[in-house]
Amino acid sequence: MAISLNVNGETHEVDVDPATPLLYVLRNDLQLNGAKFGCGLGQCGACTVVVDGEAVLSCVTPVSLMEGREITTVEGLGTIEEPGPLQAAFIEQQAAQCGYCIPGMMMTAHALLRKNAQPSDQEIRDALMTNLCRCGTHMRILAAIRRAGELMQQAGAPQTDRRAG
Amino acid sequence: MTIVPQDEFSTDRRKGISRRGVLMGTGALVVSFSLARHALAQQATPAPAAPEPPKLPGSLDDARRLDAWIRIDANSDITVFTGKIELGQGIRTALIQVAAEELEVEPGDINLITADTGRTPDEGFTAGSQSMQNSGTAIRNAAAQVREILITEASRRLNVPRESLRAEGKAIVGQNGQTIGYGELVSDQLLAVEAQPQSLLKSPDSLRIIGQSLPRVDIPAKVTGGAAYVQDLRLEGMVHARVVRPPAQAAQLQDVDTTSVEQMPGVITVIRDGSFLAVVAEQEFQAVNAMRVLQQAARWSEDAVLPNQNELPAFLESTKGDIGTVAEDGAGDFSGQVFEATFTRPYQMHASIGPSCGVALMENGQLTVWSHTQGVYPDQEAIAEMLGMNVEQVRVIHMEGSGCYGHNGADDAAADAAMIAAAVPGRPIRLQWMREDEHGWEPYGPAMLIKVRAGVGQDGRITGWNYDLWSNVHSTRPGGAPSLLAARHRAQAFPVRPPNFNISQSGNGDRNAVPLYVFPRRVLWHFVSEMPLRVSALRALGAYANVFALESTMDELAIIAGADPVEFRLRHLEDERARAVVEKAAQEFGWSTDAPANGRGRGFGFARYKNLAAFLAVALEVEVERETGRVRVVRAVSAIDSGEAVNPDGIRNQTEGGIIQSISWTLYEQVTFDNTRVTSTDWSSYPILRFSSVPESVDVHIINRPGQPFLGTGEAAQGPVAAALANAVRNATGVRFYDLPLTRERVKQGIGI
């Protein structure tokens, strides 16, 4: 089945089984590395992407539900040459060990910061409730998200998803 | 070959089996001197014994030529080779730092190649917090020797004294501004020489890069969607595979009708070999769907081979195996008051967030495997043995995977991919484990039972210490083909080899069972050879449970002696560096003997990892919710001395991670099983720490020791944190907990609410 997907501001036509989880389409058909396979059960948050402003677990979301939605992955937050505020904050705080869970953490944080640029520590923890980290990078992840909020404030405007072109 | 639980990170054990030259990136075969040494040793008897070559620093002793580690081309481009791997611990960055420092270049000038059997030295496993000691030491010394060789060569060419020359900007520069580039100097095999035992290392006060918190080189790609993991590898024509593992530990595949699966969309083939069952499909979701149908189609026999989980300590104690004396130092008269206790630890798992993955391609009789294995060379041998190939026909290339805390499913996924690639030659196979594969089949950290009997005299000093531990071996690798699940499951199976019992200096199940404190002791390891659940190395091996038991006991003895637990430790601690971390952690924490606030408690823990590596002390404050039994760590303050600090922020990051992971193990984690199956198969049946329970603060203070050897960092926190946590709960509630983990149910029951 042909499905039109809007990912990071670009439209893609994919021909896939409509039941395919969004995660596999992002990783294999669109060759985006950001969203990660962690459990396939919606338990760990490694696959988190943002859909229409909300954090969504892409491993349990059928691609057929995504037609006409705005999907953002960590690739949509900036590039290695020009990192966005969240990415810059995670680099600045060295908020990764293995880093496998980090894009999922960042997308959950992205959804939070779009709604609330200055979340309290408790609000960040609540938002990350379903994101698991095994290396124990939690303190740095919290610091990086607080820092990203500051960077966005300094930039003077609420962070919007980066558009291609 | 038997499994010897000694120095699991070392290549020594494989000497004589696997020594080989180092096949370099250019394709030239460079025969290492270690191979030559081995050949000499095997010469006919009349020949006199070859003189033992001098001991070289770190892993240089195994790969002795400078160009096995450092190559400089005609453009002065510098490539550094390490047999170690990045597993999220930041080793790539730290190794670049030591190389750049001694070569007098910038970190960005170094191209670092990590473990690849086709290119890098054989450094065994990346494990045991040994990478800085082994590879860091080798690269630092090699780089310093290369620098001096370049200076000598420039001195010869310019006909000026060496002392008038210095290394700067990838060149040797003279006092009058003469400059010869590194690339120009190395033109004729200058570095194709054996390293020397001594190096002219830069003095601690002249260091520019070592000691700086250089940002990790791998992080930018990881936060921007770059290809960073083996899971991200996409080869031309690559297809997707899934395995169907047995439902139970000892289950055998009786029958499977594959016809319906073979007709599913995209399915290329179903592979069955004994109890090894896998499916290959064009697309990933097709492979997942086919795997689910195949699971339903397979019929398995199941045997009740697992012990009763609720009676694990009794099971461990009932096994009749060898007993080894780990330490015996004076009798001890146990005068004064005697404390006796039994401590337990359950099976626990690595539980990486990303399930294991391997990519393999069989082409023209050559197999290439991309894997997040901790040891490319041992994995190469095991896969070759499994498939009946020569090791030269198998190349294993490391790529990062999700967090690695020891021997997880990486090697098994690599072997699965290899088995499938052998059956589907010409097509790259991407084999991805599902969550239940990882939880259910990775090798676990072994369960342990520990009995302590200790006395404390009128003078407040420990008068005797008997310590008995029951445990499996904590490392079942390399182990060859039998260490691989696929090899165990195939029709022509490689049966599990019985473990071999060995007491070693750095310890295994007995790691850190011997107190660093000064008093008479006797320590015995009752070796448990039965392995009903598959076990292997989990971060810190036996040190996690041993330090938990040892440091819990120290607190109880302090209470008997009426002493402050920190002061009581210092009373028995002579090593100055040990005392320094204890004092530093206590001071930074604001340690006090004042009564804690209601529901709160403080606890302390200390160990020198393996009794020969990093020193770490930690103080914790906890809050115990009496109604529910919930324990929350409020704050943690630690001090660590891991020798000369190459990258202080890297040490902090690793130690913060160790503290938080150990809190998770200690409060929540145990593998559950019935008499046939593991029942911890996902994150709801094996809960770990969540953000809601993360401490308010975690502080790590580094005691830097410039000029001292690197001691490693990665595993130092695991044991001390477990003990500090139990000690803090004891302080908060007045109740001692002896069994890990300290679940809500146990704490609630223990405090009698």
Side-chain angles (χ1 to χ4, degrees):
Chain A
M1 173 178 156
I3 295 172
S4 173
L5 288 180
N6 179 341
V7 180
N8 300 328
E10 278 187 53
T11 303
H12 303 264
E13 303 293 331
V14 293
D15 186 14
V16 292
D17 175 348
T20 308
L22 173 61
L23 175 67
Y24 293 131
V25 177
L26 293 173
R27 291 192 57 84
N28 300 330
D29 298 83
L30 305 187
Q31 306 211 346
L32 295 170
N33 298 313
K36 298 290 193 286
F37 176 75
C39 63
L41 305 164
Q43 293 180 339
C44 76
C47 66
T48 306
V49 298
V50 170
V51 177
D52 292 344
E54 298 293 334
V56 164
L57 299 167
S58 68
C59 77
V60 289
T61 303
V63 67
S64 57
L65 300 179
M66 292 295 105
E67 186 114 38
R69 307 288 193 93
E70 261 183 47
I71 301 162
T72 308
T73 70
V74 81
E75 287 89 346
L77 301 182
T79 62
I80 197 163
E81 295 80 18
E82 216 182 317
L86 252 172
Q87 293 165 326
F90 271 73
I91 294 169
E92 180 194 295
Q93 298 294 318
Q94 294 285 288
Q97 289 186 53
C98 83
Y100 197 88
C101 70
I102 296 296
M105 298 278 177
M106 293 172 74
M107 297 321 293
T108 304
H110 179 62
L112 171 68
L113 292 171
R114 278 169 58 105
K115 294 175 201 159
N116 178 1
Q118 285 182 295
S120 68
D121 197 57
Q122 192 58 50
E123 286 169 326
I124 300 173
R125 287 171 185 246
D126 290 346
L128 295 174
M129 188 61 186
T130 55
N131 288 77
L132 297 177
C133 168
R134 186 57 167 159
C135 296
T137 319
H138 302 72
M139 305 312 295
R140 288 170 184 245
I141 293 167
L142 293 170
I145 295 171
R146 284 194 297 270
R147 179 68 181 142
E150 287 170 16
L151 290 175
M152 288 174 190
Q153 293 274 300
Q154 285 168 15
Q159 163 75 353
T160 53
D161 297 343
R162 192 172 295 254
R163 298 285 180 228
Chain B
M1 188 165 60
T2 50
I3 299 165
V4 184
Q6 177 181 18
D7 298 326
E8 47 120 4
F9 38 78
S10 167
T11 56
D12 293 354
R13 192 149 33 103
R14 292 172 26 251
K15 282 178 184 169
I17 302 163
S18 67
R19 282 310 182 79
R20 68 180 61 82
V22 177
L23 184 64
M24 304 305 293
T26 57
L29 185 66
V30 180
V31 179
S32 76
F33 276 67
S34 53
L35 180 68
R37 179 174 54 172
H38 176 62
L40 283 172
Q42 287 197 333
Q43 276 175 357
T45 40
E52 192 58 18
K55 170 89 180 138
L56 297 181
S59 297
L60 274 173
D61 202 43
D62 290 315
R64 302 171 70 89
R65 277 171 54 149
L66 291 177
D67 63 356
W69 299 91
I70 297 171
R71 294 193 152 197
I72 301 175
D73 72 11
N75 298 321
S76 296
D77 289 338
I78 302 168
T79 306
V80 174
F81 299 89
T82 175
K84 301 293 183 181
I85 57 157
E86 178 65 49
L87 32 78
Q89 84 284 42
I91 197 68
R92 178 179 274 279
T93 308
L95 293 178
I96 286 172
Q97 285 180 263
V98 297
E101 181 74 65
E102 296 292 350
L103 287 169
E104 297 288 14
V105 299
E106 297 309 310
D109 294 329
I110 303 285
N111 177 30
L112 182 75
I113 306 293
T114 58
D116 174 347
T117 60
R119 303 178 80 181
T120 66
D122 179 359
E123 290 196 83
F125 295 102
T126 301
S129 302
Q130 287 278 304
S131 296
M132 287 311 293
Q133 292 98 311
N134 295 347
S135 208
T137 301
I139 289 171
R140 187 173 186 186
N141 281 273
Q145 293 186 22
V146 166
R147 182 195 67 226
E148 294 305 310
I149 287 171
L150 293 170
I151 289 176
T152 301
E153 176 64 9
S155 157
R156 189 184 66 78
R157 292 201 199 173
L158 295 169
N159 198 22
V160 296
R162 289 185 81 257
E163 297 69 40
S164 70
L165 299 171
R166 67 182 191 279
E168 186 181 295
K170 298 204 280 186
I172 303 300
V173 181
Q175 281 167 338
N176 303 325
Q178 319 98 304
T179 296
I180 311 185
Y182 282 2
E184 203 180 329
L185 287 167
V186 292
S187 54
D188 53 350
Q189 296 290 302
L190 199 65
L191 306 182
V193 296
E194 181 162 2
Q196 299 299 309
Q198 298 293 327
S199 314
L200 192 62
L201 299 180
K202 290 179 68 178
S203 65
D205 58 3
S206 68
L207 299 178
R208 302 171 300 127
I209 302 165
I210 288 177
Q212 303 299 313
S213 290
L214 189 73
R216 285 245 310 267
V217 295
D218 55 324
I219 289 181
K222 288 176 174 176
V223 301
T224 54
Y229 307 92
V230 68
Q231 285 91 343
D232 301 331
L233 182 62
R234 293 183 197 89
L235 299 176
E236 186 67 31
M238 188 173 80
V239 292
H240 294 270
R242 291 293 185 279
V243 280
V244 174
R245 283 265 117 86
Q249 295 295 300
Q252 306 267 346
L253 184 57
Q254 299 300 303
D255 181 45
V256 59
D257 179 0
T258 59
T259 45
S260 59
V261 177
E262 282 159 348
Q263 287 160 10
M264 290 177 70
V267 170
I268 297 168
T269 187
V270 173
I271 296 159
R272 182 190 171 180
D273 182 349
S275 292
F276 180 85
L277 189 59
V279 60
V280 185
E282 295 287 347
Q283 292 179 23
E284 188 164 18
F285 189 53
Q286 292 170 336
V288 173
N289 284 333
M291 174 200 72
R292 296 291 179 215
V293 174
L294 199 53
Q295 278 173 333
Q296 296 302 315
R299 289 197 306 109
W300 305 83
S301 66
E302 271 186 60
D303 289 323
V305 294
L306 300 183
N308 184 334
Q309 189 187 346
N310 299 321
E311 293 164 10
L312 257 189
F315 163 75
L316 292 172
E317 198 174 356
S318 71
T319 59
K320 296 282 174 251
D322 292 340
I323 300 172
T325 302
V326 183
E328 176 103 59
D329 169 25
D333 63 7
F334 292 87
S335 60
Q337 257 185 280
V338 170
F339 170 78
E340 285 185 84
T342 299
F343 298 89
T344 68
R345 175 239 174 132
Y347 293 99
Q348 293 175 316
M349 65 171 80
H350 305 80
S352 294
I353 295 297
S356 294
C357 179
V359 176
L361 171 62
M362 180 74 92
E363 213 167 30
N364 307 321
Q366 288 286 326
L367 177 68
T368 307
V369 182
W370 291 263
S371 169
H372 51 114
T373 176
Q374 283 178 280
V376 289
Y377 281 96
D379 209 22
Q380 174 196 38
E381 278 171 30
I383 289 171
E385 184 187 356
M386 175 180 80
L387 295 176
M389 298 171 72
N390 296 321
V391 287
E392 293 75 22
Q393 294 173 291
V394 179
R395 179 178 179 183
V396 180
I397 303 171
H398 177 263
M399 285 185 75
E400 265 191 79
S402 178
C404 174
Y405 323 102
H407 181 183
N408 58 19
D411 296 2
D412 299 306
D416 291 343
M419 279 278 285
I420 297 163
V424 189
R427 300 210 68 176
I429 305 294
R430 181 182 185 276
L431 182 280
Q432 168 72 64
W433 274 16
M434 303 301 284
R435 174 48 51 198
E436 64 265 31
D437 298 328
E438 193 79 23
H439 267 59
W441 286 97
E442 64 148 282
Y444 305 126
M448 288 173 69
L449 167 68
I450 295 157
K451 294 187 174 185
V452 190
R453 178 168 183 267
V456 59
Q458 289 292 329
D459 60 353
R461 297 193 70 91
I462 294 167
T463 56
W465 180 278
N466 285 353
Y467 186 100
D468 290 75
L469 73 100
W470 283 258
S471 174
N472 283 144
V473 63
H474 283 244
S475 176
T476 55
R477 64 185 177 188
S483 67
L484 303 172
L485 282 177
R488 293 183 186 185
H489 289 161
R490 59 185 297 189
Q492 199 176 14
F494 291 82
V496 182
R497 289 167 181 153
N500 199 359
F501 184 33
N502 197 343
I503 306 282
S504 67
Q505 191 190 13
S506 57
N508 184 284
D510 58 333
R511 183 168 288 177
N512 279 95
V514 180
L516 198 69
Y517 303 105
V518 178
F519 47 71
R521 79 283 305 281
R522 192 202 72 195
V523 178
L524 301 179
W525 179 359
H526 304 250
F527 189 67
V528 179
S529 54
E530 283 179 58
M531 295 188 284
L533 287 176
R534 186 178 182 227
V535 295
S536 197
L538 174 61
R539 198 176 189 175
L541 310 192
Y544 170 66
N546 286 322
V547 176
F548 165 70
L550 196 169
E551 289 285 289
S552 293
T553 302
M554 285 299 285
D555 257 39
E556 289 302 318
L557 298 177
I559 291 167
I560 292 170
D564 171 67
V566 173
E567 190 277 319
F568 187 74
R569 283 172 171 78
L570 290 170
R571 194 184 286 180
H572 292 91
L573 211 46
E574 290 178 355
D575 186 303
E576 283 307 319
R577 288 170 75 175
R579 295 178 64 90
V581 294
V582 168
E583 286 165 352
K584 180 75 174 169
Q587 176 207 333
E588 296 287 348
F589 180 82
W591 186 261
S592 120
T593 47
D594 298 347
N598 194 23
R600 297 241 171 157
R602 301 178 203 98
F604 204 87
F606 159 79
R608 180 179 192 190
Y609 185 50
K610 304 178 196 169
N611 286 345
L612 51 76
F615 302 84
L616 186 139
V618 61
L620 297 182
E621 181 175 355
V622 302
E623 185 173 62
V624 182
E625 205 173 74
R626 296 187 68 85
E627 295 72 21
T628 62
R630 180 187 179 217
V631 176
R632 182 174 73 91
V633 176
V634 179
R635 63 191 181 104
V637 178
S638 72
I640 181 166
D641 167 358
S642 33
E644 177 153 40
V646 171
N647 188 318
D649 191 61
I651 293 173
R652 270 194 293 276
N653 199 352
Q654 278 293 284
T655 306
E656 289 166 20
I659 289 169
I660 290 178
Q661 189 177 70
S662 184
I663 290 170
S664 181
W665 291 0
T666 304
L667 290 180
Y668 311 113
E669 298 187 27
Q670 55 188 328
V671 174
T672 59
F673 48 91
D674 59 26
N675 60 10
T676 64
R677 299 182 177 197
V678 169
T679 51
S680 296
T681 54
D682 63 8
W683 295 115
S684 66
S685 48
Y686 191 85
I688 64 171
L689 181 96
R690 291 182 179 275
F691 269 97
S692 51
S693 301
V694 167
E696 287 162 20
S697 65
V698 176
D699 296 324
V700 176
H701 300 274
I702 296 168
I703 298 181
N704 191 10
R705 300 287 185 187
Q708 291 292 319
F710 306 138
L711 294 180
T713 295
E715 299 162 289
Q718 308 309 110
V721 168
L725 186 37
N727 289 338
V729 172
R730 167 74 164 90
N731 185 239
T733 64
V735 179
R736 168 64 56 188
F737 290 89
Y738 301 94
D739 301 306
L740 294 167
L742 278 65
T743 59
R744 281 180 194 213
E745 296 73 23
R746 278 195 176 132
V747 172
K748 190 176 170 183
Q749 193 179 26
I751 59 182
I753 300 291

